[in-house]
Amino acid sequence: MNSATDTRVAAAGIVRKPRPKIRADQWIMNAISFVWITFVALLCILPFLLILSGSFTSERAIMMDGFKLIPTDLSLEAYRFVFRFPEQILRAYGVTVSLTVLGTVLSLFVIAMCSYVLQRPDFKWRNGFSFFFYFTTLFSGGLVPLYILVVNYLKLKDTYWVLLLLPLVNVFYILVMKSFMRSIPAAITESAKIDGAGDFTIFMRLILPLAKPALATIGLFVALGYWNDWFNSLLFISDQRLYELQYYLYKVLGNIEGLKIVAEKSGRPVPDMPGEGLKMALTIVVTGPIIFLYPFIQRYFVKGLTIGAVKG
Amino acid sequence: MKSAFMRDFMNYKTMLLMLVPSLFFVVLFQYLPMFGLILAFKEYTYGKGILGSAWNGIENFKFFFISGDAWRVTRNTVLYNVAFIAINLVLQVSIAIMLSELKSKWFKKISQSMLFLPYFISWVVVGTIVYNLLNFEHGTINTLLRSLGFEPFNFYSDKGVWPFLLVFFSAWKAVGYGAVFYLAAIMSIDSEMFEAAETDGANVFQRIWHITIPSLKPTMIVLTLLSVGHIFRGDFGLFYNMIGNNGLLFGTTDVIDTFVYRSLVENNEIGMSAAIGFYQSILCFATILLVNGIVRRADKDSALF
Amino acid sequence: MSKKKKAWLGTSAVLAMSMLASACSGGNGNNAASGSPSASATATSSASASASPTASASAPAIDTSEHVKLKMVLVGPKAPDTDEVYAQVNKILTEKVNAELELRFLDWNEMNQKYPLLFAANEDFDMAFTASWAFYNPTARKDGFLELTEDLMKTYAPNTWANQDPVGWDQAKIDGKIYMVPQDAFESGSSVAMVRGDLREKYNIPELKTQEDFVNYVKTIAKNEKGIVAYNGPPTTLNGSGAPILFLDLEKRFVHGSAPLVYDMKSESPQLTNYLEDPKALAKLDMMYDMAQTGAWPKDAIVAKTDWHAAFKEGKMAADTGNILTASSTMEAMNLKHPEWKVEIYDLSPEAKRFQDPLINNGVGIHATSKHPERALMVLDLLRYDRELFELTTYGIKGKHWEPVGEDRYKVLPAGATGYPPDGVCPWGWRTELVRTLDGPAGDVLQSFYKKWKENNIIHSPLETFALDDANIKNELAALANVQKTYLLPIYFGLVKPSEGIPEVIEKMKQAGLDKVQAEMQKQLDAYVASKKAE
């Protein structure tokens, strides 16, 4: 709040002494930060407002006038199209939410455990194992063998399992988490070891609570990964009851294309359908979690939650 | 030797067990299908399968090299990635530090959420918006220029401006996403260190320079190394949705992935795309071995492996 | 990702081809081997009437005691009433050949990924929609489809074997073997131009007769009419079939969309030439450059994300080009909403000879590892020639989704538009002369154009059925495709002066192996022509 007032004051050109408890350097830093972040944030929100407005604009108006910040010709057509089959989209929401919750918890646990071990200085094989994990981000066999493996050998086609398990271990996050965990002093592990605690107990009792910011961060990304997944559905799911939200929306988009192709193919007039507007509406529909989830995650981005408290 | 190994093994028993779940999934979903790499050297048919198909040497790689553009697109890919890595690093770190310095809670919360929004906008939609901004006849920018009495600028035929635009949009999309990593790292800095600095009379800038930035180093290094590991892979969504079929701009905007897409879109040979994937992997592998080696020399524990 | 669908220039047509020719020239000479000479004889005589009696007549000879469930892969979205329609289909199929169909749909935006994977993993399915633009060639060459021998066809799909235009079989041949049952209905994807009659009259332009007239119209609009886009320019993808409308009168044909090599349609022993070295083609490019300079299309048309057909419909564009099927329906829709615009359709090259669309533009293939290929063929035979099944699968339930108008027209009922769009749930693979035209002005326009073209313009040539074997030149074709998009496309859009750009394109193409491609193609063409003559 302070910085906001200060900058406004500065901008108005009113000369006033900064409040005594804020030092000059802090004041400058605050002003720079406030201005710069406001600027970047505006760059980020402006296109989004265009999209929001576009999603409420009739297809015809988009065609004629392009995108405007205020809808010129208000229309709910795009949303009506997205929610055409409410029970289907509700089910897709259900699948995605449950996958996101379950997947994030499991994935975080597995990743954190792995990262903790990989950064333990007394674990001599840590580099070898790290390399073993990292190698998979460089080389990949491609879609065909993965598809054959999942469908023919693991028989996971059209199962909830494939959606849960495929994204479960992401090597990228293991390596980032590993670097986060290094900021937890090794002394904590060492002293606990001397007290006779086992590695797993140390991890559960001491490390996990200390790693909250790291867990929150990686958890956010894992959750977004599950939330945004559509490709695994595309590959492995044909049972409508298991569609993930993003895949369902992807199919909605495909249906529009399909209707156009079909109209062309059969010589019937192309029906009036939201094309561009629909893409915009889909963007809005999938952005939901950041509005609801992110403020929640931010609770963990608070200074002073860390070592100090434990050390004593 | 054997006994030393066994002794270590017994020591590490629990830790190894803790690795098992991750190892299991990585072996299952990454290493097992990896034999598919051989497709790059085969003439694949459904009837004979991956293993049974006939070998055809380096036949699958040829299309990429005979056109004479292989060097150009490979170079473009690397240069773009270097720019992305550098700009993203500076931008994300600075935004994270600034956010952490601000006191106003509501401002922090709202601005952070706003910074995250671009992550949700697909490149397809970004491409549409950019076209609406930049096109010659009705683009917002040119309309503005005209109304102010300036000459309109034809963005889509000037290949000089696109490297900047592409770097800009890449940075724009990743800024909120990437800043979160650094913000989390800042939050993990022992607050006693800040208090000590305060008592020593350091000002904000000294504190940031001497405490915050050094503490962020491991995170910076690991994120940079992870990006370096993909330095020969172009972000297809970004390049394709911005540039599309506009050959006029390819000179400065063509990367390996768009080049291969254009070549194979009409006749997708699994072996050919596998071949270029392999080419990229090998180059990435060599690069990361080198860079990681350098980092290891300087700071053993910051290296990836 | 979904660029492939753009290659879709095929249209559906209705006028039945005369099948008499097929009966004489086909492989019917030695039908003793099939053991059912009567079957094909009856089928040939029962031209468009329901052929089901024939099918059931041949059925007893084949053991259908086991009830089988056949899985069929189709493309496009699954319409809401599909299950209802196919429940009826299955009832009939069970009665006739003791089989039923289970469908699996691949949406347009996922089929490029998924279609090849289904074959790679050798999944359990029996038949699949396929087409020249939908994986036919690569799948067949990779042993994905069952070879359809004469024996198989005669025994299990006798009507198909007897009635199918043999041109279709020839087009489907890959190294002399057939892997799909092509459609059997006339289509022509020739481009026509649509213009706004009101604007034409406003500037006193006479009715368009030639390409020059069209160019003149577009230029006039570009110069004088503000706030409207004159024309959207050439297509943004370059391949043989997508060549712009202004090239139609050259009467040249591409062998492969990735190479600029063409031959004369009318020639008996065609020689390949590079059209970029043909002064007539270069004049066209100059004409387009000229158009671009006058602002005939937006400067950024090459990257435009606009849906131009929609723009024309909304009155934001003054001229549009496309195949006659789309054009006729667009005209009808626009005349309803804006009769004052007086939309007109013109064939800009009324004298130009052209081929009909390849019959392999739609078809059905049998999965190589299907457990019931015989039954699949029997079902396919019924879908193609049993009127009841054909109309059910193509148009939906009579009286609910559609209703017939006379012998060869149909009307869409309200429930059809969303529940089961007639001719929309991928029935194209088994399209035959049983197909109907949409009732209304669009249908009239379509039929009159088709009639005129069939009388004056459509020619047949031995090369109509030639299919390139790209095994030895895959790399070169991929490289050439890239060169075209990189260096040639900007010339089409008038962004680079042809006289300056073309030499560079040719040089780049030579570097990418154009000469090798030309030699290989010519060799195959010559061999094909020779083999045809030998027959």
Side-chain angles (χ1 to χ4, degrees):
Chain A
M1 201 82 83
N2 292 336
S3 53
T5 354
D6 290 343
T7 323
R8 244 178 279 137
V9 169
I14 302 166
V15 185
R16 202 176 72 177
K17 264 195 185 164
R19 270 171 252 175
K21 55 177 176 185
I22 298 180
R23 299 196 326 244
D25 56 328
Q26 230 152 17
W27 189 89
I28 295 170
M29 184 67 201
N30 268 349
I32 297 175
S33 307
F34 179 81
V35 171
W36 179 239
I37 289 176
T38 307
F39 174 69
V40 178
L42 281 180
L43 281 183
C44 290
I45 191 116
L46 270 177
F48 202 80
L49 293 178
L50 275 182
I51 291 170
L52 187 66
S53 146
S55 72
F56 285 105
T57 309
S58 74
E59 197 61 18
R60 191 173 176 280
I62 294 180
M63 171 76 56
M64 301 302 281
D65 317 321
F67 295 96
K68 294 268 166 357
L69 272 178
I70 312 288
T72 39
D73 179 15
L74 210 64
S75 158
L76 290 173
E77 200 45 44
Y79 289 96
R80 216 169 281 144
F81 206 89
V82 175
F83 294 101
R84 218 169 20 150
F85 304 108
E87 72 290 347
Q88 287 181 17
I89 198 164
L90 267 178
R91 197 185 296 119
Y93 261 110
V95 171
T96 294
V97 169
S98 78
L99 272 174
T100 305
V101 173
L102 199 62
T104 307
V105 172
L106 277 177
S107 174
L108 262 188
F109 180 69
V110 170
I111 285 178
M113 202 157 64
C114 175
S115 320
Y116 170 65
V117 173
L118 289 183
Q119 60 82 47
R120 278 272 295 262
D122 56 331
F123 182 50
K124 278 193 277 181
W125 302 343
R126 64 183 186 281
N127 276 339
F129 275 107
S130 294
F131 180 76
F132 185 80
F133 282 112
Y134 179 70
F135 189 75
T136 61
T137 67
L138 290 172
F139 289 90
S140 136
L143 273 186
V144 176
L146 178 70
Y147 188 82
I148 294 175
L149 174 79
V150 170
V151 172
N152 291 352
Y153 293 94
L154 303 177
K155 311 270 184 217
L156 286 178
K157 195 178 157 224
D158 268 333
T159 61
Y160 189 79
W161 292 106
V162 69
L163 299 176
L164 182 70
L165 299 181
L166 262 183
L168 194 71
V169 172
N170 183 321
V171 172
F172 182 85
Y173 297 143
I174 291 184
L175 296 170
V176 177
M177 181 80 104
K178 176 184 142 194
S179 93
F180 280 160
M181 289 215 176
R182 279 184 48 215
S183 69
I184 299 172
I188 290 178
T189 301
E190 281 158 26
S191 60
K193 275 225 114 156
I194 293 166
D195 292 348
D199 292 311
F200 187 69
T201 317
I202 297 173
F203 169 72
M204 290 298 283
R205 296 268 171 81
L206 296 173
I207 302 301
L208 277 188
L210 283 177
K212 265 186 195 155
L215 290 173
T217 313
I218 302 296
L220 173 70
F221 290 116
V222 173
L224 288 177
Y226 276 102
W227 179 266
N228 286 334
D229 180 36
W230 54 275
F231 197 63
N232 287 321
S233 277
L234 185 151
L235 290 180
F236 301 115
I237 303 296
S238 49
D239 181 350
Q240 208 176 54
R241 283 168 305 178
L242 287 172
Y243 285 175
E244 290 173 290
L245 178 66
Q246 290 270 24
Y247 180 59
Y248 177 80
L249 298 177
Y250 184 75
K251 282 191 100 93
V252 169
L253 212 54
N255 282 348
I256 290 263
E257 283 179 46
L259 287 175
K260 277 189 187 157
I261 293 174
V262 162
E264 216 168 284
K265 188 90 182 140
S266 62
R268 267 177 289 118
V270 181
D272 291 324
M273 277 170 312
E276 289 305 316
L278 184 71
K279 279 184 207 155
M280 305 299 149
L282 295 185
T283 308
I284 301 297
V285 172
V286 300
T287 312
I290 211 58
I291 314 291
F292 298 109
L293 186 66
Y294 197 55
F296 175 76
I297 300 288
Q298 280 173 321
R299 282 198 328 162
Y300 296 97
F301 293 163
V302 180
K303 271 191 203 176
L305 252 178
T306 43
I307 331 296
V310 185
K311 263 192 184 163
Chain B
M1 282 321 280
K2 190 84 184 168
S3 67
F5 174 81
M6 281 315 289
R7 204 183 56 228
D8 281 343
F9 187 85
M10 290 313 287
N11 264 339
Y12 297 155
K13 207 172 46 198
T14 320
M15 288 200 274
L16 290 172
L17 271 176
M18 290 165 78
L19 287 180
V20 164
S22 302
L23 286 173
F24 173 77
F25 285 111
V26 165
V27 168
L28 184 65
F29 292 133
Q30 310 282 342
Y31 277 100
L32 278 183
M34 214 178 268
F35 75 93
L37 284 171
I38 58 174
L39 279 175
F41 305 97
K42 289 199 158 200
E43 190 180 341
Y44 175 65
T45 69
Y46 299 131
K48 299 191 188 116
I50 296 179
L51 294 174
S53 292
W55 296 95
N56 67 351
I58 54 160
E59 191 62 27
N60 290 331
F61 291 81
K62 277 188 183 158
F63 81 97
F64 183 61
F65 295 99
I66 52 176
S67 62
D69 286 327
W71 156 245
R72 181 179 57 109
V73 295
T74 306
R75 182 201 61 198
N76 281 356
T77 312
V78 173
L79 289 180
Y80 271 109
N81 279 320
V82 168
F84 293 160
I85 292 170
I87 303 266
N88 283 347
L89 179 72
V90 173
L91 192 67
Q92 291 166 7
V93 169
S94 61
I95 290 271
I97 292 176
M98 288 178 184
L99 277 171
S100 74
E101 289 296 329
L102 281 170
K103 298 288 179 293
S104 163
K105 261 194 184 155
W106 68 266
F107 179 77
K108 268 161 84 163
K109 282 203 169 177
I110 292 180
S111 60
Q112 268 190 61
S113 296
M114 277 160 71
L115 292 173
F116 221 110
L117 289 176
Y119 168 83
F120 287 94
I121 308 177
S122 68
W123 282 124
V124 179
V125 174
V126 176
T128 310
I129 291 178
V130 169
Y131 178 74
N132 271 281
L133 277 181
L134 301 185
N135 79 70
F136 187 77
E137 278 88 3
H138 305 104
T140 317
I141 291 184
N142 279 325
T143 312
L144 202 69
L145 283 176
R146 280 196 195 93
S147 67
L148 294 174
F150 291 105
E151 278 290 296
F153 185 77
N154 195 353
F155 289 94
Y156 285 100
S157 65
D158 186 330
K159 61 182 180 183
V161 298
W162 282 91
F164 299 100
L165 287 170
L166 289 165
V167 169
F168 174 83
F169 282 102
S170 161
W172 168 80
K173 199 157 192 283
V175 61
Y177 179 91
V180 169
F181 286 112
Y182 296 108
L183 204 58
I186 294 175
M187 294 309 146
S188 317
I189 300 172
D190 191 343
S191 48
E192 279 175 14
M193 286 168 76
F194 287 121
E195 283 156 28
E198 202 95 346
T199 357
D200 289 349
N203 69 27
V204 177
F205 303 103
Q206 287 165 324
R207 199 182 67 213
I208 291 173
W209 187 252
H210 292 290
I211 297 177
T212 314
I213 292 183
S215 312
L216 285 180
K217 216 177 70 184
T219 311
M220 291 194 232
I221 292 177
V222 77
L223 288 176
T224 304
L225 281 178
L226 286 170
S227 310
V228 169
H230 287 113
I231 201 160
F232 286 91
R233 297 184 196 280
D235 184 342
F236 179 77
L238 163 67
F239 288 95
Y240 185 71
N241 286 298
M242 297 288 214
I243 307 300
N245 295 311
N246 191 352
L248 284 189
L249 306 180
F250 288 165
T252 56
T253 63
D254 210 11
V255 293
I256 297 176
D257 300 75
T258 46
F259 183 89
V260 170
Y261 172 79
R262 271 205 314 283
S263 306
L264 299 183
V265 62
E266 266 108 32
N267 188 14
N268 190 8
E269 277 295 322
I270 293 166
M272 287 183 175
S273 33
I276 301 312
F278 189 75
Y279 165 77
Q280 291 175 303
S281 292
I282 288 287
L283 290 177
C284 288
F285 188 37
T287 315
I288 198 68
L289 280 184
L290 183 78
V291 178
N292 191 64
I294 296 170
V295 172
R296 263 178 80 90
R297 283 247 169 115
D299 174 7
K300 193 162 181 294
D301 278 312
S302 286
L304 277 181
F305 47 84
Chain C
M1 205 180 301
S2 58
K3 280 282 162 295
K4 275 232 169 87
K5 74 171 206 300
K6 292 221 167 128
W8 186 329
L9 293 153
T11 58
S12 75
V14 182
L15 294 170
M17 283 288 293
S18 157
M19 286 301 127
L20 292 172
S22 69
C24 321
S25 63
N28 283 358
N30 55 347
N31 53 13
S34 79
S36 61
S38 60
S40 51
T42 340
T44 335
S45 58
S46 65
S48 74
S50 167
S52 51
T54 329
S56 42
S58 64
I62 302 158
D63 176 21
T64 57
S65 57
E66 184 203 357
H67 182 78
V68 297
K69 214 174 201 172
L70 298 165
K71 294 185 180 135
M72 178 156 70
V73 177
L74 298 178
V75 301
K78 181 179 175 182
D81 293 351
T82 308
D83 290 336
E84 191 188 336
V85 171
Y86 271 83
Q88 294 204 16
V89 171
N90 285 339
K91 234 169 73 192
I92 303 172
L93 283 178
T94 305
E95 249 167 53
K96 293 203 160 146
V97 288
N98 202 14
E100 56 184 294
L101 282 171
E102 191 183 310
L103 303 181
R104 173 157 181 202
F105 286 89
L106 303 182
D107 264 341
W108 295 112
N109 55 359
E110 62 184 14
M111 74 182 232
N112 279 347
Q113 296 278 3
K114 251 178 149 167
Y115 196 96
L117 288 176
L118 295 184
F119 287 89
N122 196 13
E123 286 197 48
D124 176 24
F125 63 95
D126 303 282
M127 47 217 290
F129 175 82
T130 187
S132 50
W133 51 270
F135 308 101
Y136 174 58
N137 203 332
T139 311
R141 283 192 194 280
K142 290 191 173 69
D143 314 326
F145 290 129
L146 184 74
E147 188 199 338
L148 302 176
T149 58
E150 195 176 326
D151 268 1
L152 262 182
M153 292 306 296
K154 273 185 184 162
T155 317
Y156 299 105
N159 292 323
T160 302
W161 185 251
N163 288 324
Q164 172 71 45
D165 181 350
V167 166
W169 294 128
D170 275 352
Q171 286 167 338
K173 271 181 191 160
I174 287 180
D175 295 338
K177 295 174 183 165
I178 299 168
Y179 296 95
M180 77 136 97
V181 180
Q183 70 163 0
D184 197 12
F186 173 85
E187 291 186 346
S188 177
S190 267
S191 285
V192 291
M194 281 178 280
V195 301
R196 287 265 299 269
D198 59 335
L199 292 175
R200 181 177 64 72
E201 283 161 13
K202 184 174 164 189
Y203 295 103
N204 290 321
I205 303 167
E207 292 201 357
L208 312 190
K209 296 224 161 49
T210 61
Q211 293 183 3
E212 286 72 29
D213 293 347
F214 176 73
V215 172
N216 177 34
Y217 167 82
V218 170
K219 279 183 175 175
T220 311
I221 300 293
K223 244 179 263 160
N224 302 308
E225 196 72 16
K226 295 297 159 211
I228 192 167
V229 174
Y231 177 49
N232 63 302
T236 50
T237 48
L238 262 190
N239 55 41
S241 49
I245 187 165
L246 298 179
F247 284 70
L248 265 183
D249 60 336
L250 297 182
E251 299 180 340
K252 294 284 202 287
R253 193 173 166 85
F254 287 88
V255 178
H256 190 285
S258 299
L261 300 170
V262 295
Y263 58 82
D264 187 342
M265 277 184 195
K266 292 165 298 185
S267 163
E268 288 291 313
S269 55
Q271 288 301 307
L272 282 174
T273 54
N274 183 346
Y275 79 95
L276 296 175
E277 288 167 344
D278 174 2
K280 272 197 208 150
L282 291 179
K284 303 276 181 195
L285 290 175
D286 282 332
M287 186 156 88
M288 289 168 75
Y289 180 75
D290 193 35
M291 284 172 87
Q293 302 318 304
T294 53
W297 50 80
K299 267 198 162 53
D300 305 326
I302 195 170
V303 283
K305 322 257 177 197
T306 319
D307 179 344
W308 293 116
H309 295 310
F312 182 67
K313 269 174 78 178
E314 296 292 352
K316 192 161 170 68
M317 192 162 85
D320 193 13
T321 47
N323 72 53
I324 179 63
L325 199 68
T326 322
S328 58
S329 71
T330 305
M331 187 179 83
E332 182 180 336
M334 287 174 75
N335 281 343
L336 279 178
K337 256 189 177 169
H338 296 281
E340 74 280 7
W341 287 348
K342 301 182 192 162
V343 177
E344 299 166 344
I345 297 183
Y346 294 105
D347 179 359
L348 298 182
S349 310
E351 302 306 318
K353 301 291 176 216
R354 53 202 83 176
F355 288 173
Q356 74 177 53
D357 282 356
L359 295 174
I360 54 170
N361 261 3
N362 292 305
V364 175
I366 309 293
H367 193 193
T369 55
S370 162
K371 289 186 202 77
H372 306 288
E374 314 84 19
R375 208 73 69 87
L377 283 172
M378 290 163 78
V379 165
L380 185 59
D381 209 36
L382 286 174
L383 290 179
R384 285 167 64 101
Y385 296 105
D386 181 295
R387 188 177 272 275
E388 196 182 358
L389 282 171
F390 180 88
E391 295 194 330
L392 253 179
T393 51
T394 307
Y395 304 110
I397 296 166
K398 202 188 285 187
K400 178 174 181 188
H401 300 119
W402 69 289
E403 62 184 25
V405 179
E407 271 301 295
D408 57 357
R409 299 271 186 127
Y410 76 97
K411 210 166 83 188
V412 184
L413 296 177
T418 50
Y420 195 90
D423 209 12
V425 191
C426 197
W428 316 301
W430 49 92
R431 172 175 286 176
T432 54
E433 71 261 38
L434 293 177
V435 79
R436 293 165 176 268
T437 320
L438 191 63
D439 194 41
D444 298 340
V445 172
L446 186 69
Q447 290 204 339
S448 76
F449 268 89
Y450 274 176
K451 182 162 180 283
K452 197 192 111 248
W453 287 345
K454 277 166 79 176
E455 278 164 10
N456 308 326
N457 306 77
I458 300 290
I459 52 167
H460 291 277
S461 136
L463 288 162
E464 200 175 358
T465 54
F466 169 73
L468 182 75
D469 175 6
D470 64 358
N472 295 325
I473 44 177
K474 265 185 203 161
N475 279 299
E476 288 75 13
L477 286 176
L480 284 170
N482 207 331
V483 172
Q484 281 203 23
K485 284 175 203 134
T486 308
Y487 299 99
L488 187 55
L489 195 59
I491 297 178
Y492 269 77
F493 276 88
L495 297 168
V496 174
K497 211 168 177 184
S499 55
E500 286 158 16
I502 292 294
E504 189 191 6
V505 177
I506 293 177
E507 189 201 314
K508 284 279 176 187
M509 286 186 160
K510 291 239 148 98
Q511 195 181 346
L514 184 61
D515 294 337
K516 181 179 168 192
V517 170
Q518 181 159 3
E520 172 74 22
M521 283 179 173
Q522 189 68 54
K523 194 180 88 193
Q524 290 189 31
L525 275 179
D526 292 344
Y528 191 77
V529 172
S531 75
K532 274 278 164 183
K533 282 203 181 115
E535 268 175 22

